[in-house]
Amino acid sequence: MTNSIDEFMSLCREKTPGEKEFHQAVCEVVESLMPHIDKNPRYKKHKILERVIIPERTLMFRVPWLDDAGDIQINTGYRIEMNSALGPYKGGLRFHPSVNLSILKFLAFEQVFKNSLTTLPMGGGKGGSDFDPKGKSDNEVMKFCQSFMTELCRHIGPNTDVPAGDIGVGGREIGYLFGQYKRIRNEFAGILTGKALNWGGSLIRPEATGYGATYFAQEMLKTKKDSIKGKTVTVSGSGNVAQYTVEKVTQLGGKVVTLSDSSGMIYDPEGIDKKKLSYVMDLKNVKRGRIKEYAEEYNVVYEAGKRPWDIKCNLAFPSATQNEISKQDAQSLVDNGCFCVAEGANMPTVPEGVEVFSDEKILYGPSKAANAGGVAVSGLEMSQNSLRLSWTREEVDQRLQHIMKSIHETCLKYGKENNYVNYVKGANIGGFVKVADAMIDQGLI
Ligand code: NDP
């Protein structure tokens, strides 16, 4: 078994040199899938694993734009159309200086299985640019988005590829991107999700990833006859996912004591209540300030350059970025009493950290299961656009809760090992089988 995993991975590395994040994501999936594939030779015969690691299409393009000083700026744009066996390509756009092909391929690969887990008809994709919206004026962000969409609009469409937001792409960016598509193509179409409510968006879409991760944690806790009520919770990040995780955890009776950004973290032992959260939302979404300002406002500890993983907690929701929990961080979480981790961010835990969680047998919900709520409500936004109807907040929230429960059940179905649930294995196999079966049905695609 180990031999076939090693062989597969060395071939993958040889064909995609230097793509370390992509290799990390593939390796994690292949480790859980190989035993299942060995028992199901038709997947081997149809070379599904060899096929799913190669995108159906990779687009890379130049994005020139003029800054406020009138100088020419140039970024690289990407869209990875990874797999369309289950539906149109679906997955976010990330604008961050760290963006490269490897990061977007890892995200697109994960997205394929995540979207499959949601039970909605969506393929997988991801895209973005090395553009950094931080420190740019609204005008510069608009100029960049217009140039980016001028190329991207040739490749997307409501039945082809429907991008959404991710790091650095929120409501403002989605608006500028949508406007430019409409202008060029002369059609008002559901080509992006995460749109504002008054022009085709869905209620609960902004909340979906954070709420979904919290619902998933709740399902995991239920297997231990426990709940979020009364728990001390650490959250990293302070963007979209982090903010709505804080909101839902607090509503369910938990106390969130940390937040962070790429400069440092704050620790508020009293808890981030409703009023403090609205301060954070204004700080991050309107003023576009730094989390350090929270510490000044509420007179709490700020630690520059630190992440929240050595703060004592019961539950942790990493919600910033990939590889933000090292092996030592994972050990420190467990040593400090954390017994449940639900990943709001994509692949936030390094493989050695995941090993710590599984060796210690804590409840560990990997990103492709725990953060699928975002894309699930994106799928619901697509349904509402097709129906030309808007569902109520309660209706969308009910559907989201139902989807998170069903993802949890899929994880139990494929991930139960004696009296422990291996959610990594459960999510990987549960996500894979639907995609693999559809690929076999559709012939050599
Ligand atoms: P936002 O841009 O709204 O927020 C990102 C947060 O993470 C910010 O606080 C940012 O700090 C911090 N961050 C970003 N990069 C780094 C880094 N390299 N080191 C430390 N901190 C960093 O993004 P989202 O909240 O939308 O996304 C967060 C995570 O959730 C990502 O992994 C994303 O892929 C994942 N996700 C998002 C979904 C969504 O619906 N939005 C859906 C599923 C997953 P700073 O302001 O300093 O950059």
Side-chain angles (χ1 to χ4, degrees):
M1 186 100 63
T2 315
N3 262 350
S4 53
I5 296 171
D6 288 349
E7 258 169 50
F8 185 87
M9 282 315 301
S10 64
L11 207 66
C12 172
R13 287 193 185 96
E14 213 173 281
K15 288 194 170 175
T16 55
E19 296 180 5
K20 61 182 189 341
E21 292 86 0
F22 178 60
H23 302 154
Q24 183 183 335
V26 172
C27 190
E28 187 237 78
V29 168
V30 169
E31 275 175 2
S32 353
L33 285 182
M34 214 48 112
H36 188 75
I37 287 178
D38 285 339
K39 281 190 226 139
N40 293 275
R42 71 195 207 105
Y43 296 140
K44 211 180 242 171
K45 176 173 164 239
H46 287 273
K47 298 210 171 168
I48 299 295
L49 217 45
E50 288 82 349
R51 279 197 266 161
V52 288
I53 61 165
I54 301 176
E56 288 178 14
R57 194 171 299 103
T58 303
L59 304 158
M60 279 178 75
F61 49 94
R62 180 168 67 210
V63 190
W65 56 281
L66 278 182
D67 67 17
D68 287 347
D71 288 332
I72 295 172
Q73 300 289 337
I74 302 138
N75 290 98
T76 306
Y78 303 83
R79 186 70 183 164
I80 316 291
E81 298 185 334
M82 197 76 191
N83 194 303
S84 62
L86 298 182
Y89 309 106
K90 183 86 198 91
L93 296 172
R94 177 176 290 191
F95 292 168
H96 193 272
S98 64
V99 160
N100 58 35
L101 193 60
S102 169
I103 289 181
L104 293 179
K105 276 180 69 182
F106 117 64
L107 290 163
F109 181 73
E110 289 281 295
Q111 195 80 47
V112 173
F113 306 111
K114 181 188 305 188
N115 293 3
S116 159
L117 283 170
T118 65
T119 71
L120 301 175
M122 298 181 290
K126 200 85 190 186
S129 175
D130 56 358
F131 172 75
D132 187 0
K134 239 179 272 152
K136 304 288 189 303
S137 69
D138 282 354
N139 181 54
E140 289 175 325
V141 172
M142 182 177 72
K143 290 269 181 55
F144 171 80
C145 288
Q146 289 179 337
S147 180
F148 183 85
M149 184 52 90
T150 301
E151 174 58 33
L152 189 70
C153 74
R154 302 168 212 267
H155 310 287
I156 62 174
N159 298 313
T160 312
D161 184 353
V162 186
D166 190 73
I167 292 178
V169 179
R172 172 182 61 169
E173 289 76 15
I174 293 290
Y176 295 149
L177 292 164
F178 185 82
Q180 183 71 353
Y181 179 93
K182 191 161 57 70
R183 198 170 166 208
I184 297 176
R185 304 290 294 261
N186 193 26
E187 60 177 20
F188 193 108
I191 46 95
L192 288 166
T193 58
K195 302 186 289 297
L197 276 181
N198 50 346
W199 44 274
S202 173
L203 285 158
I204 304 283
R205 177 58 189 92
E207 294 89 337
T209 310
Y211 278 20
T214 313
Y215 294 146
F216 194 83
Q218 203 178 22
E219 291 303 310
M220 292 198 290
L221 288 164
K222 268 191 211 161
T223 66
K224 303 275 178 204
K225 304 201 173 0
D226 206 342
S227 74
I228 288 174
K229 198 167 174 23
K231 301 293 184 300
T232 300
V233 179
T234 48
V235 174
S236 65
S238 47
N240 171 272
V241 179
Q243 291 169 15
Y244 288 104
T245 299
V246 175
E247 183 166 285
K248 186 49 76 181
V249 165
T250 311
Q251 281 170 12
L252 295 176
K255 181 170 79 168
V256 179
V257 293
T258 64
L259 280 173
S260 67
D261 60 21
S262 50
S263 315
M265 60 159 272
I266 60 104
Y267 173 43
D268 183 349
E270 298 293 311
I272 301 162
D273 60 18
K274 209 170 159 186
K275 190 164 154 258
K276 292 173 180 170
L277 177 61
S278 54
Y279 170 83
V280 172
M281 287 182 170
D282 183 60
L283 175 69
K284 284 286 166 181
N285 310 344
V286 182
K287 299 199 179 85
R288 302 191 186 272
R290 311 302 299 156
I291 203 64
K292 182 173 194 259
E293 294 164 57
Y294 179 105
E296 287 152 12
E297 177 77 15
Y298 294 108
N299 198 21
V300 300
V301 171
Y302 170 75
E303 294 200 57
K306 275 205 72 179
R307 297 177 293 208
W309 312 129
D310 55 10
I311 301 291
K312 204 171 160 54
C313 68
N314 309 117
L315 322 176
F317 289 78
S319 309
T321 194
Q322 66 273 1
N323 294 332
E324 55 167 315
I325 298 186
S326 67
K327 183 181 179 186
Q328 293 90 311
D329 293 332
Q331 196 59 56
S332 149
L333 277 166
V334 174
D335 291 346
N336 279 317
C338 175
F339 61 89
C340 175
V341 175
E343 294 183 338
N346 281 310
M347 203 170 75
T349 313
V350 303
E352 300 76 17
V354 175
E355 236 172 83
V356 171
F357 295 149
S358 58
D359 287 350
E360 300 280 351
K361 303 243 177 308
I362 69 160
L363 298 168
Y364 167 61
S367 49
K368 68 169 77 62
N371 74 22
V375 74
V377 176
S378 274
L380 300 177
E381 182 173 331
M382 288 165 72
S383 307
Q384 293 170 81
N385 290 165
S386 298
L387 290 165
R388 301 197 184 279
L389 283 175
S390 300
W391 293 329
T392 63
R393 200 180 158 81
E394 291 68 32
E395 239 171 322
V396 180
D397 195 32
Q398 277 302 317
R399 285 177 199 264
L400 170 63
Q401 290 188 44
H402 177 81
I403 290 169
M404 296 316 295
K405 269 191 187 156
S406 117
I407 296 174
H408 185 263
E409 276 159 23
T410 304
C411 291
L412 294 188
K413 178 173 169 192
Y414 291 103
K416 246 190 172 151
E417 292 174 345
N418 303 318
N419 52 2
Y420 174 65
V421 183
N422 183 337
Y423 286 91
V424 175
K425 179 175 150 198
N428 284 337
I429 300 178
F432 173 80
V433 286
K434 265 180 70 186
V435 177
D437 291 345
M439 286 175 75
I440 294 172
D441 292 347
Q442 292 170 25
L444 214 49
I445 54 164

Coordinates of all heavy atoms in Angstrom, one line a residue, residues 373-436:
G373 N -19.8 24.8 3.9 CA -21.0 25.6 3.9 C -21.0 26.8 3.0 O -22.1 27.2 2.4
G374 N -19.8 27.3 2.7 CA -19.7 28.5 1.9 C -20.1 28.2 0.5 O -21.0 28.8 -0.1
V375 N -19.5 27.1 -0.1 CA -19.9 26.7 -1.4 C -21.3 26.2 -1.5 O -22.0 26.3 -2.5 CB -18.8 25.8 -2.0 CG1 -18.9 24.4 -1.5 CG2 -18.9 25.8 -3.6
A376 N -21.7 25.6 -0.4 CA -23.1 25.0 -0.4 C -24.1 26.2 -0.7 O -25.0 26.1 -1.5 CB -23.4 24.3 0.9
V377 N -23.9 27.3 0.1 CA -24.9 28.4 -0.1 C -24.6 29.1 -1.5 O -25.5 29.6 -2.1 CB -24.9 29.3 1.1 CG1 -25.8 30.5 0.8 CG2 -25.4 28.6 2.3
S378 N -23.4 29.0 -2.0 CA -23.2 29.5 -3.3 C -24.0 28.7 -4.3 O -24.6 29.2 -5.2 CB -21.7 29.3 -3.7 OG -21.0 30.5 -3.3
G379 N -24.0 27.3 -4.1 CA -24.9 26.5 -4.9 C -26.3 26.9 -4.8 O -27.1 26.9 -5.8
L380 N -26.8 27.2 -3.6 CA -28.2 27.6 -3.4 C -28.4 29.0 -4.0 O -29.5 29.3 -4.5 CB -28.5 27.7 -1.9 CG -28.3 26.4 -1.1 CD1 -28.6 26.6 0.4 CD2 -29.3 25.3 -1.6
E381 N -27.4 29.8 -4.1 CA -27.5 31.1 -4.8 C -27.7 30.9 -6.3 O -28.5 31.5 -6.9 CB -26.3 32.0 -4.5 CG -26.3 33.4 -5.2 CD -25.1 34.3 -4.8 OE1 -24.6 34.1 -3.7 OE2 -24.8 35.1 -5.6
M382 N -27.0 29.9 -6.8 CA -27.1 29.5 -8.2 C -28.6 29.0 -8.5 O -29.2 29.3 -9.5 CB -26.1 28.4 -8.6 CG -24.7 29.0 -8.8 SD -23.5 27.6 -8.8 CE -23.7 27.0 -10.4
S383 N -29.1 28.2 -7.6 CA -30.4 27.7 -7.7 C -31.4 28.8 -7.7 O -32.3 28.8 -8.6 CB -30.8 26.7 -6.6 OG -29.9 25.7 -6.4
Q384 N -31.3 29.7 -6.8 CA -32.2 30.9 -6.7 C -32.1 31.7 -8.0 O -33.1 32.2 -8.5 CB -31.9 31.7 -5.5 CG -32.3 31.0 -4.2 CD -31.7 31.7 -3.0 OE1 -32.4 32.7 -2.5 NE2 -30.6 31.3 -2.5
N385 N -30.9 31.9 -8.5 CA -30.7 32.7 -9.8 C -31.5 32.0 -10.9 O -32.1 32.6 -11.7 CB -29.3 32.9 -10.1 CG -28.5 33.8 -9.2 OD1 -27.3 33.8 -9.2 ND2 -29.2 34.6 -8.4
S386 N -31.3 30.7 -11.0 CA -32.0 29.9 -12.1 C -33.5 30.0 -12.0 O -34.2 30.1 -13.0 CB -31.6 28.5 -12.1 OG -30.2 28.4 -12.3
L387 N -34.0 29.9 -10.7 CA -35.4 30.0 -10.5 C -36.0 31.4 -10.6 O -37.2 31.7 -10.6 CB -35.8 29.5 -9.1 CG -35.6 28.0 -8.8 CD1 -35.6 27.7 -7.3 CD2 -36.7 27.2 -9.5
R388 N -35.1 32.4 -10.6 CA -35.4 33.8 -10.5 C -36.3 34.1 -9.2 O -37.3 34.8 -9.3 CB -36.1 34.4 -11.7 CG -35.1 34.2 -13.0 CD -35.5 35.0 -14.1 NE -34.7 34.7 -15.3 CZ -33.5 35.3 -15.5 NH1 -33.0 36.1 -14.6 NH2 -32.8 35.0 -16.5
L389 N -35.9 33.5 -8.1 CA -36.6 33.6 -6.9 C -35.6 33.9 -5.7 O -34.4 33.5 -5.9 CB -37.3 32.3 -6.5 CG -38.6 31.9 -7.2 CD1 -39.0 30.5 -6.8 CD2 -39.7 32.9 -6.9
S390 N -36.1 34.4 -4.6 CA -35.2 34.5 -3.4 C -35.8 33.8 -2.3 O -37.0 34.1 -2.0 CB -35.0 36.0 -3.0 OG -34.5 36.7 -4.1
W391 N -35.0 32.9 -1.7 CA -35.5 32.2 -0.5 C -35.3 33.1 0.8 O -34.4 34.0 0.8 CB -34.8 30.9 -0.3 CG -35.2 29.9 -1.4 CD1 -36.3 29.8 -2.1 CD2 -34.3 28.9 -2.0 NE1 -36.3 28.8 -3.1 CE2 -35.0 28.3 -3.0 CE3 -33.0 28.5 -1.7 CZ2 -34.5 27.2 -3.8 CZ3 -32.5 27.5 -2.5 CH2 -33.2 26.8 -3.5
T392 N -36.1 32.9 1.8 CA -35.9 33.6 3.0 C -34.6 33.2 3.8 O -34.1 32.1 3.5 CB -37.1 33.4 4.0 OG1 -37.1 32.0 4.4 CG2 -38.4 33.8 3.4
R393 N -34.3 34.0 4.7 CA -33.1 33.7 5.6 C -33.2 32.4 6.3 O -32.3 31.6 6.3 CB -33.0 34.9 6.6 CG -31.7 35.0 7.3 CD -31.8 36.2 8.3 NE -30.7 35.9 9.2 CZ -29.4 36.2 8.9 NH1 -29.1 36.9 7.8 NH2 -28.4 35.9 9.8
E394 N -34.5 32.1 6.8 CA -34.7 30.9 7.5 C -34.6 29.7 6.6 O -34.0 28.7 6.9 CB -36.1 30.9 8.1 CG -36.3 31.8 9.3 CD -36.3 33.3 8.9 OE1 -36.7 33.6 7.8 OE2 -35.8 34.1 9.7
E395 N -35.1 29.9 5.3 CA -35.1 28.8 4.4 C -33.7 28.4 4.0 O -33.3 27.2 4.0 CB -35.8 29.2 3.1 CG -37.0 28.4 2.7 CD -37.8 29.0 1.5 OE1 -37.9 30.3 1.5 OE2 -38.2 28.3 0.6
V396 N -32.9 29.4 3.7 CA -31.5 29.1 3.3 C -30.7 28.5 4.5 O -30.0 27.6 4.4 CB -30.8 30.4 2.8 CG1 -29.3 30.1 2.4 CG2 -31.5 31.0 1.7
D397 N -30.9 29.1 5.7 CA -30.2 28.6 6.9 C -30.6 27.1 7.2 O -29.7 26.3 7.5 CB -30.5 29.5 8.1 CG -29.6 29.2 9.2 OD1 -28.4 28.9 9.0 OD2 -30.0 29.3 10.4
Q398 N -31.9 26.8 7.0 CA -32.3 25.4 7.2 C -31.6 24.5 6.2 O -31.2 23.4 6.6 CB -33.9 25.3 6.9 CG -34.7 25.7 8.1 CD -34.4 24.9 9.3 OE1 -34.3 23.6 9.2 NE2 -34.3 25.5 10.4
R399 N -31.6 24.9 4.9 CA -30.9 24.1 3.9 C -29.4 23.9 4.3 O -28.8 22.8 4.1 CB -31.0 24.7 2.5 CG -32.4 24.6 2.0 CD -32.5 25.3 0.6 NE -33.9 25.5 0.2 CZ -34.6 24.8 -0.6 NH1 -34.1 23.7 -1.1 NH2 -35.8 25.1 -0.9
L400 N -28.8 25.0 4.7 CA -27.4 25.0 5.1 C -27.2 23.9 6.2 O -26.3 23.1 6.2 CB -26.9 26.3 5.5 CG -25.5 26.4 6.1 CD1 -24.4 25.9 5.2 CD2 -25.1 27.8 6.6
Q401 N -28.0 24.0 7.2 CA -27.9 23.1 8.4 C -28.1 21.7 7.9 O -27.3 20.8 8.3 CB -28.9 23.4 9.4 CG -28.6 24.7 10.1 CD -29.5 25.0 11.3 OE1 -29.8 24.1 12.1 NE2 -30.0 26.2 11.5
H402 N -29.0 21.5 7.0 CA -29.3 20.1 6.5 C -28.1 19.6 5.7 O -27.7 18.5 5.9 CB -30.5 20.2 5.6 CG -30.9 18.9 5.0 ND1 -31.6 17.9 5.6 CD2 -30.6 18.4 3.7 CE1 -31.7 16.9 4.8 NE2 -31.1 17.2 3.7
I403 N -27.5 20.5 4.9 CA -26.3 20.0 4.1 C -25.1 19.7 5.0 O -24.5 18.7 4.9 CB -25.9 21.1 3.1 CG1 -27.0 21.2 2.0 CG2 -24.5 20.9 2.5 CD1 -26.9 22.4 1.1
M404 N -24.9 20.5 6.1 CA -23.8 20.3 7.0 C -24.0 18.9 7.7 O -23.1 18.2 7.9 CB -23.5 21.4 8.0 CG -23.1 22.7 7.4 SD -21.9 22.7 6.0 CE -20.4 22.1 6.9
K405 N -25.2 18.7 8.1 CA -25.6 17.4 8.7 C -25.3 16.2 7.8 O -24.8 15.2 8.2 CB -27.1 17.4 9.1 CG -27.3 17.9 10.5 CD -28.7 17.6 10.9 CE -28.9 18.3 12.2 NZ -30.3 18.6 12.6
S406 N -25.7 16.4 6.5 CA -25.5 15.3 5.6 C -24.0 15.1 5.3 O -23.6 13.9 5.1 CB -26.4 15.6 4.3 OG -25.6 15.7 3.2
I407 N -23.2 16.2 5.2 CA -21.8 16.0 5.1 C -21.2 15.2 6.3 O -20.4 14.3 6.1 CB -21.1 17.3 4.9 CG1 -21.5 18.0 3.7 CG2 -19.5 17.2 4.9 CD1 -21.0 19.5 3.5
H408 N -21.7 15.5 7.4 CA -21.2 14.8 8.6 C -21.6 13.4 8.6 O -20.8 12.5 8.9 CB -21.8 15.5 9.9 CG -21.3 14.9 11.2 ND1 -22.0 14.0 11.9 CD2 -20.1 15.1 11.8 CE1 -21.3 13.6 12.9 NE2 -20.1 14.3 12.9
E409 N -22.8 13.1 8.1 CA -23.2 11.7 8.0 C -22.4 10.9 7.0 O -22.0 9.8 7.2 CB -24.7 11.6 7.6 CG -25.6 11.7 8.8 CD -27.1 12.1 8.4 OE1 -27.5 11.9 7.2 OE2 -27.7 12.7 9.3
T410 N -22.0 11.6 5.9 CA -21.2 11.0 4.9 C -19.8 10.6 5.5 O -19.2 9.6 5.3 CB -21.0 11.9 3.7 OG1 -22.2 12.2 3.1 CG2 -20.1 11.3 2.6
C411 N -19.3 11.6 6.3 CA -18.0 11.3 7.0 C -18.1 10.1 7.9 O -17.2 9.3 8.0 CB -17.6 12.6 7.8 SG -17.1 14.0 6.8
L412 N -19.2 10.0 8.6 CA -19.4 8.8 9.5 C -19.5 7.5 8.7 O -18.8 6.5 9.0 CB -20.7 8.9 10.3 CG -20.9 10.1 11.4 CD1 -22.1 9.9 12.2 CD2 -19.6 10.1 12.3
K413 N -20.2 7.6 7.6 CA -20.4 6.4 6.8 C -19.0 5.9 6.3 O -18.8 4.7 6.3 CB -21.3 6.8 5.6 CG -21.5 5.7 4.6 CD -22.5 6.0 3.5 CE -22.5 5.0 2.4 NZ -23.2 5.5 1.2
Y414 N -18.1 6.8 5.8 CA -16.9 6.3 5.2 C -15.7 6.4 6.2 O -14.6 5.9 5.9 CB -16.5 7.1 4.0 CG -17.5 6.8 2.8 CD1 -18.5 7.7 2.5 CD2 -17.4 5.6 2.1 CE1 -19.4 7.5 1.4 CE2 -18.2 5.4 1.0 CZ -19.2 6.3 0.7 OH -20.1 6.1 -0.4
G415 N -15.9 7.0 7.4 CA -14.7 7.3 8.2 C -14.7 6.6 9.6 O -13.8 6.8 10.3
K416 N -15.8 5.8 9.8 CA -15.8 5.1 11.2 C -14.7 4.1 11.3 O -14.6 3.2 10.4 CB -17.2 4.5 11.4 CG -17.9 5.2 12.5 CD -19.2 4.6 12.9 CE -19.7 5.3 14.1 NZ -21.1 5.3 14.3
E417 N -14.0 4.1 12.4 CA -12.9 3.1 12.6 C -13.1 2.7 14.1 O -12.7 3.5 15.0 CB -11.5 3.7 12.4 CG -11.2 4.1 11.0 CD -9.9 4.8 10.9 OE1 -9.3 5.3 11.9 OE2 -9.4 4.9 9.8
N418 N -13.6 1.5 14.3 CA -13.9 1.1 15.7 C -14.7 2.1 16.4 O -15.8 2.5 16.0 CB -12.7 0.7 16.5 CG -11.9 -0.4 15.7 OD1 -12.5 -1.3 15.2 ND2 -10.6 -0.3 15.6
N419 N -14.2 2.7 17.5 CA -15.0 3.7 18.2 C -14.5 5.2 17.9 O -14.7 6.1 18.7 CB -15.2 3.5 19.7 CG -13.8 3.2 20.3 OD1 -12.8 3.3 19.6 ND2 -13.8 3.0 21.6
Y420 N -13.8 5.3 16.8 CA -13.2 6.6 16.4 C -13.7 7.0 15.0 O -13.8 6.1 14.2 CB -11.7 6.6 16.5 CG -11.0 7.8 16.0 CD1 -11.1 9.0 16.7 CD2 -10.2 7.8 14.8 CE1 -10.5 10.2 16.2 CE2 -9.6 9.0 14.4 CZ -9.7 10.2 15.1 OH -9.1 11.3 14.6
V421 N -14.0 8.3 14.8 CA -14.4 8.7 13.4 C -13.2 9.4 12.8 O -12.7 10.5 13.3 CB -15.6 9.6 13.4 CG1 -16.0 10.0 12.0 CG2 -16.8 9.0 14.2
N422 N -12.7 8.9 11.7 CA -11.6 9.5 11.0 C -12.3 10.4 9.9 O -12.6 9.9 8.8 CB -10.7 8.4 10.4 CG -9.5 9.0 9.6 OD1 -9.6 10.1 9.2 ND2 -8.5 8.2 9.5
Y423 N -12.5 11.7 10.3 CA -13.2 12.5 9.4 C -12.4 12.8 8.1 O -13.0 13.1 7.0 CB -13.5 13.9 10.1 CG -14.7 13.7 11.1 CD1 -14.4 13.5 12.4 CD2 -16.0 13.9 10.7 CE1 -15.4 13.3 13.4 CE2 -17.0 13.8 11.6 CZ -16.7 13.5 13.0 OH -17.7 13.4 13.9
V424 N -11.1 12.7 8.1 CA -10.3 13.0 6.9 C -10.6 11.9 5.9 O -11.0 12.2 4.8 CB -8.8 13.0 7.3 CG1 -7.9 13.1 6.0 CG2 -8.5 14.1 8.3
K425 N -10.5 10.6 6.4 CA -10.8 9.5 5.5 C -12.3 9.6 5.0 O -12.6 9.4 3.8 CB -10.6 8.2 6.3 CG -10.8 7.0 5.6 CD -10.4 5.8 6.4 CE -11.3 4.6 6.1 NZ -11.2 3.6 7.2
G426 N -13.2 9.9 5.9 CA -14.6 9.9 5.6 C -14.9 11.0 4.5 O -15.6 10.7 3.5
A427 N -14.3 12.1 4.7 CA -14.6 13.2 3.7 C -13.9 12.9 2.4 O -14.5 13.1 1.3 CB -14.0 14.5 4.2
N428 N -12.7 12.4 2.4 CA -12.0 12.1 1.2 C -12.7 11.0 0.3 O -13.0 11.2 -0.8 CB -10.5 11.7 1.4 CG -9.7 12.9 1.8 OD1 -10.0 14.0 1.4 ND2 -8.6 12.6 2.5
I429 N -13.1 9.9 1.0 CA -13.7 8.8 0.3 C -15.1 9.3 -0.2 O -15.5 9.1 -1.3 CB -13.8 7.5 1.1 CG1 -12.3 7.1 1.4 CG2 -14.5 6.4 0.3 CD1 -12.2 5.8 2.2
G430 N -15.9 9.9 0.8 CA -17.2 10.3 0.5 C -17.3 11.3 -0.7 O -18.2 11.2 -1.5
G431 N -16.3 12.2 -0.7 CA -16.3 13.2 -1.8 C -15.9 12.5 -3.1 O -16.4 12.8 -4.2
F432 N -14.9 11.6 -3.0 CA -14.3 11.0 -4.2 C -15.3 10.1 -5.0 O -15.4 10.2 -6.2 CB -13.1 10.2 -3.8 CG -12.5 9.4 -4.9 CD1 -11.6 10.0 -5.9 CD2 -12.7 8.0 -5.0 CE1 -11.1 9.2 -6.9 CE2 -12.1 7.2 -6.1 CZ -11.3 7.9 -7.0
V433 N -16.0 9.2 -4.3 CA -16.8 8.2 -5.0 C -17.8 8.8 -6.0 O -18.0 8.3 -7.1 CB -17.5 7.2 -4.1 CG1 -16.6 6.2 -3.5 CG2 -18.3 7.9 -3.0
K434 N -18.5 9.9 -5.6 CA -19.5 10.5 -6.5 C -18.8 11.0 -7.8 O -19.3 10.8 -8.9 CB -20.1 11.7 -5.8 CG -21.4 11.3 -5.2 CD -22.1 12.5 -4.5 CE -22.6 13.5 -5.5 NZ -23.1 14.7 -4.8
V435 N -17.6 11.7 -7.6 CA -16.9 12.2 -8.7 C -16.4 11.1 -9.6 O -16.6 11.1 -10.9 CB -15.7 13.1 -8.3 CG1 -14.9 13.6 -9.4 CG2 -16.2 14.2 -7.4
A436 N -15.8 10.1 -9.0 CA -15.3 9.0 -9.8 C -16.4 8.2 -10.5 O -16.2 7.9 -11.7 CB -14.6 8.0 -8.8

